Amino acid sequence: MDVLTPHPLVVRARRLATDLLLPEAERVDQEGVPARHIEAVKRSGLLGVAAPAEYGGSGAPPAVLRETAEILAGACCATWFVQTQHHTPVQTLTRSELPVRERLLGPLSRGELLSGVAYAHLRSYPRRPVRVRRQGDGWRFDGTVPWYTGWGLNDVMLLAGVTDADEVLFAFAEAREQPGLRASPPMRLAALTAARTVSLELDGLWLPADAVALHAPWDEWAAGDRAKTLHTSPAVFGVTEAALSLLDAETAGPLRSRLTAVRHRAYTLADLPAPEEQTGERLAVRAAAYEVLRAATTAAVVSGGGRALALTSRAQRLAREGLFLLVQGQTAQSRAAHLRVLAGDLAPEGQR
């Protein structure tokens, strides 16, 4: 394919954004992501953008996944956030050699099922919000999942906990209330309430051994997770672009130049073969991307004046979504780096 020809999934993402997501984004922000948005995403093939072709996915390169994420997030960040959870289960199964791969990777890759994730609490180790232990020929989960997005929209979830042997265990469960699993009412949040986020109470949820997708030492899993969270989310660039579209050319020009530069740096780093290296630079770029996001969304509100404070205003929605992206995927390491930048200490860790 010619490099100037957009990937078919990029074309589909743009059409979905233009025809459905963007025109309804302010209403969705107030009322919640509707099931028909999720059905449209399933039909688009975007859930399988990075999934193996032999399982019905597209096997597209990372650049396509990033571009489609930017498009969806810029149109309706809540819909993007619900569907972006799906890619972690797909990637987990792609690397897995356990039996659940053959049962679920195809339906997930083809968009027949939408998966959520419940694993961010693993980052609070050595605390164990969710504990797992053997029970019969399966596993018992107990504890609290503080955040689970897409409740009522997802078909399945990838649930994680920590064993007494300091191992992480990821297993698939149906995303519904059942014995041992109870959801809170949907949370009211400053941004992305529409994504239907709840907490989950686990009291003896039992999952069979053949539901397990990953079982590994915590240290081993955490090393890969730390490297992944160093990357700048494409959603940051998508929301920034959306905010710039509300500005006149004179105001948007300098901000767009900053955006282009930091996006190039971020994606160049993401494509390097050793994601655990250049930690300081990756964190600095991530913080720089946040600064452009903050400037662009603030400029959109300023440009809109008093009208920007109405809940029907696109500018205020984007500004609130920008606040959400500041903490989405945040770790103690990325938080500290960002706070140093906000405090005026621009030198990356290890170079001061």
Side-chain angles (χ1 to χ4, degrees), residues 49-50 59-69 91 234 267 270-271:
V49 57
V64 175
L65 177 61
R66 294 192 293 250
E67 188 170 1
T68 56
Q91 292 162 1
Y267 290 166
D271 287 335

Side-chain angles (χ1 to χ4, degrees), residues 230 268-269 272-284 351:
L230 294 174
T268 298
L269 287 167
L272 292 178
E276 71 282 357
E277 295 180 358
Q278 296 173 282
T279 296
E281 184 178 1
R282 293 174 193 273
L283 290 170
Q351 298 181 19

Side-chain angles (χ1 to χ4, degrees), residues 255-322:
L255 289 169
R256 181 163 281 111
S257 295
R258 289 172 59 190
L259 171 63
T260 299
V262 73
R263 179 198 276 130
H264 175 73
R265 290 172 63 201
Y267 290 166
T268 298
L269 287 167
D271 287 335
L272 292 178
E276 71 282 357
E277 295 180 358
Q278 296 173 282
T279 296
E281 184 178 1
R282 293 174 193 273
L283 290 170
V285 169
R286 177 170 163 149
Y290 287 148
E291 290 305 290
V292 181
L293 170 68
R294 184 175 63 161
T297 54
T298 300
V301 171
V302 172
S303 178
R307 296 185 305 275
L309 298 183
L311 291 178
T312 54
S313 163
R314 184 156 296 165
Q316 60 79 31
R317 172 177 61 81
L318 293 169
R320 289 186 290 105
E321 290 172 352

